[in-house]
Amino acid sequence: MIKIGIDLGGTKIEGIALSDTGNELYCHRISTPQDDYQGTLQSIAELISLIEAGTGKKGSIGICTPGALSPATGLMRNSNSVCMNGKPVLTDLQDLLQREIRIANDANCFALSEAVDGVAKDAAVVFGVIIGTGTGGGVVIDKKVLVGPNAIAGEWGHNPLPWPQDVELPGPECYCGKHGCIETWLSGPGIVRDHELHNSALFDTRPLDAETLDGKARLGDEYANETLQRYEDRMARSLAHVINILDPDVIVLGGGMGNIKRLYDNVPKIWGDYVFSDVVNTKLLAPVYGDSSGVRGAAWLWNS
Ligand SMILES: [Zn+2]
């Protein structure tokens, strides 16, 4: 049987069919109907029909969404496709498709994709993080997503920044209502805010982002370099916390910040100062599948 993965995004819905060995048999993407819950479900169903007609085979179905199903209510929560929030997405889709499906959030699908046949394919315990406008995290153990009774395993973005320095307290206000969350420091907007705070005299009106900062640092801009050094220390502390609890073999870094290559060298040089061990064998690695991790991970939800 083929494995069908669907990645439900705010602007597009991507579908893929994988063979049992992970070969891509079929791939198609469509636009996401805007603010239309029923229309979105119908589009997913049509995409699956198209894939099954194209491959001539019926498949298992896994779906990657930005939000997660509440274990208390079964309703979608925290999705940036807001029309999905508060809806029984799993049961509605199962009714529509007349079969069992599996749903996971994007960070879990990312971690699973890399753990099954990506950069962490030889690792038993994988922590996957997606750092862009937010900071999502997921845990995969022996190629299975760890969900947990609260469906929150791996979501460390709203823990406080560990081992804070005096100047980092109380930390920036977070949309979740607290201060100093890891997300407020490590997200793309977080590093830009930190750079502007330390360099108000240099601040110009050109829009800045993390990639531009990285480019400036590579060209020898010492202010951008200092910002990245502060960032690397904060990322090292945040990941050291995870290593102390979970002790993963591999941490995979996805999202926009995963494109900043120096992090893979510099962060592991620092995290030993914070991990309660004489050695740190955990590896920090770049993903193999990048933007395709969501849709591939969705297909792999039926790996077992
Ligand atoms: Zn927060």
Side-chain angles (χ1 to χ4, degrees):
M1 191 154 91
I2 58 169
K3 298 176 196 305
I4 296 173
I6 301 290
D7 185 3
L8 174 59
T11 57
K12 64 175 174 55
I13 306 171
E14 190 173 355
I16 198 173
L18 296 183
S19 72
D20 284 336
T21 52
N23 289 324
E24 188 180 312
L25 305 171
Y26 196 87
C27 181
H28 192 70
R29 62 176 59 180
I30 56 176
S31 297
T32 309
Q34 297 300 300
D35 300 321
D36 181 358
Y37 177 65
Q38 289 300 336
T40 301
L41 300 188
Q42 282 297 338
S43 294
I44 291 171
E46 284 162 19
L47 185 53
I48 289 165
S49 298
L50 198 67
I51 291 169
E52 292 187 332
T55 56
K57 289 180 179 143
K58 193 167 174 174
S60 59
I61 299 168
I63 298 190
C64 172
T65 70
L69 298 172
S70 161
T73 62
L75 306 178
M76 180 67 75
R77 63 184 180 187
N78 303 339
S79 174
N80 55 6
S81 292
V82 288
C83 73
M84 308 300 283
N85 286 328
K87 298 290 198 312
V89 178
L90 180 66
T91 49
D92 282 350
L93 271 174
Q94 289 188 151
D95 287 349
L96 189 63
L97 298 164
Q98 287 297 299
R99 70 187 104 160
E100 193 185 348
I101 63 169
R102 292 179 182 174
I103 293 183
N105 75 20
D106 46 2
N108 285 351
C109 289
F110 167 75
L112 182 61
S113 168
E114 294 298 330
V116 170
D117 65 350
V119 72
K121 66 179 190 299
D122 298 321
V125 179
V126 179
F127 183 60
V129 286
I130 300 181
I131 305 184
T133 53
T135 48
V139 178
V140 172
I141 298 175
D142 293 333
K143 306 193 192 302
K144 284 184 200 131
V145 173
L146 178 71
V147 178
N150 308 298
I152 202 74
E155 290 298 346
W156 96 145
H158 296 275
N159 286 7
L161 181 71
W163 296 282
Q165 299 163 5
D166 288 346
V167 293
E168 292 170 334
L169 292 170
E173 202 173 351
C174 184
Y175 72 88
C176 75
K178 300 206 164 44
H179 280 83
C181 294
I182 286 171
E183 177 162 313
T184 67
W185 295 105
L186 294 192
S187 64
I191 189 175
V192 169
R193 180 196 46 75
D194 182 64
H195 183 76
E196 291 175 355
L197 201 68
H198 279 79
N199 300 283
S200 52
L202 302 169
F203 179 58
D204 61 35
T205 53
R206 280 174 296 181
L208 198 59
D209 57 32
E211 234 164 311
T212 313
L213 276 174
D214 181 42
K216 283 175 177 245
R218 275 188 278 124
L219 292 172
D221 182 325
E222 63 180 291
Y223 301 104
N225 187 46
E226 284 170 9
T227 298
L228 277 156
Q229 285 175 339
R230 286 192 300 279
Y231 183 90
E232 285 158 356
D233 192 74
R234 288 166 184 150
M235 179 176 274
R237 282 182 264 160
S238 301
L239 293 178
H241 236 201
V242 174
I243 295 170
N244 279 338
I245 295 168
L246 185 66
D247 203 2
D249 299 275
V250 171
I251 297 174
V252 194
L253 184 55
M257 296 306 293
N259 296 327
I260 298 183
K261 295 198 167 40
R262 60 183 276 170
L263 299 179
Y264 299 98
D265 287 329
N266 294 348
V267 172
K269 284 180 188 154
I270 305 168
W271 66 21
D273 293 345
Y274 301 99
V275 176
F276 192 61
S277 168
D278 55 344
V279 291
V280 184
N281 291 318
T282 303
K283 295 186 175 74
L284 180 65
L285 300 174
V288 168
Y289 290 111
D291 291 341
S292 298
S293 280
V295 75
R296 290 184 67 92
W300 287 129
L301 288 171
W302 287 91
N303 193 33
S304 57

